[in-house]
PDB file of all heavy atoms in Angstrom:
ATOM      1  N   THR A  26     171.269 173.250 102.325  1.00 72.00           N
ATOM      2  CA  THR A  26     169.915 172.750 101.914  1.00 72.00           C
ATOM      3  C   THR A  26     169.575 173.057 100.495  1.00 72.00           C
ATOM      4  O   THR A  26     169.982 174.141  99.990  1.00 72.00           O
ATOM      5  CB  THR A  26     168.842 173.173 102.991  1.00 72.00           C
ATOM      6  OG1 THR A  26     167.580 172.524 102.579  1.00 72.00           O
ATOM      7  CG2 THR A  26     168.732 174.717 103.044  1.00 72.00           C
ATOM      8  N   ALA A  27     168.752 172.222  99.879  1.00 76.00           N
ATOM      9  CA  ALA A  27     168.235 172.611  98.516  1.00 76.00           C
ATOM     10  C   ALA A  27     167.141 173.331  98.486  1.00 76.00           C
ATOM     11  O   ALA A  27     166.577 173.703  97.410  1.00 76.00           O
ATOM     12  CB  ALA A  27     168.079 171.205  97.734  1.00 76.00           C
ATOM     13  N   GLN A  28     166.453 173.502  99.660  1.00 74.00           N
ATOM     14  CA  GLN A  28     165.131 174.363  99.785  1.00 74.00           C
ATOM     15  C   GLN A  28     165.394 175.702  99.616  1.00 74.00           C
ATOM     16  O   GLN A  28     166.366 176.298  99.910  1.00 74.00           O
ATOM     17  CB  GLN A  28     164.588 174.048 101.130  1.00 74.00           C
ATOM     18  CG  GLN A  28     164.137 172.638 101.388  1.00 74.00           C
ATOM     19  CD  GLN A  28     163.459 172.423 102.730  1.00 74.00           C
ATOM     20  OE1 GLN A  28     164.187 172.801 103.693  1.00 74.00           O
ATOM     21  NE2 GLN A  28     162.291 171.935 102.788  1.00 74.00           N
ATOM     22  N   THR A  29     164.484 176.429  99.019  1.00 76.00           N
ATOM     23  CA  THR A  29     164.427 177.859  98.677  1.00 76.00           C
ATOM     24  C   THR A  29     164.327 178.502 100.058  1.00 76.00           C
ATOM     25  O   THR A  29     163.453 178.162 100.867  1.00 76.00           O
ATOM     26  CB  THR A  29     163.430 178.254  97.779  1.00 76.00           C
ATOM     27  OG1 THR A  29     163.433 177.508  96.535  1.00 76.00           O
ATOM     28  CG2 THR A  29     163.310 179.782  97.494  1.00 76.00           C
ATOM     29  N   PRO A  30     165.228 179.410 100.513  1.00 70.00           N
ATOM     30  CA  PRO A  30     165.143 180.053 101.767  1.00 70.00           C
ATOM     31  C   PRO A  30     163.772 180.762 101.954  1.00 70.00           C
ATOM     32  O   PRO A  30     163.238 181.411 101.041  1.00 70.00           O
ATOM     33  CB  PRO A  30     166.293 181.052 101.791  1.00 70.00           C
ATOM     34  CG  PRO A  30     167.135 180.572 100.713  1.00 70.00           C
ATOM     35  CD  PRO A  30     166.354 179.882  99.623  1.00 70.00           C
ATOM     36  N   ILE A  34     160.859 178.159 106.477  1.00 76.00           N
ATOM     37  CA  ILE A  34     161.893 177.154 106.465  1.00 76.00           C
ATOM     38  C   ILE A  34     163.042 177.435 107.470  1.00 76.00           C
ATOM     39  O   ILE A  34     163.529 176.543 108.236  1.00 76.00           O
ATOM     40  CB  ILE A  34     162.547 177.034 104.944  1.00 76.00           C
ATOM     41  CG1 ILE A  34     161.551 176.448 104.166  1.00 76.00           C
ATOM     42  CG2 ILE A  34     163.840 176.296 105.126  1.00 76.00           C
ATOM     43  CD1 ILE A  34     161.929 176.029 102.790  1.00 76.00           C
TER      44      ILE A  34
END
Side-chain angles (χ1 to χ4, degrees):
T26 177
Q28 294 178 307
T29 303
I34 289 192

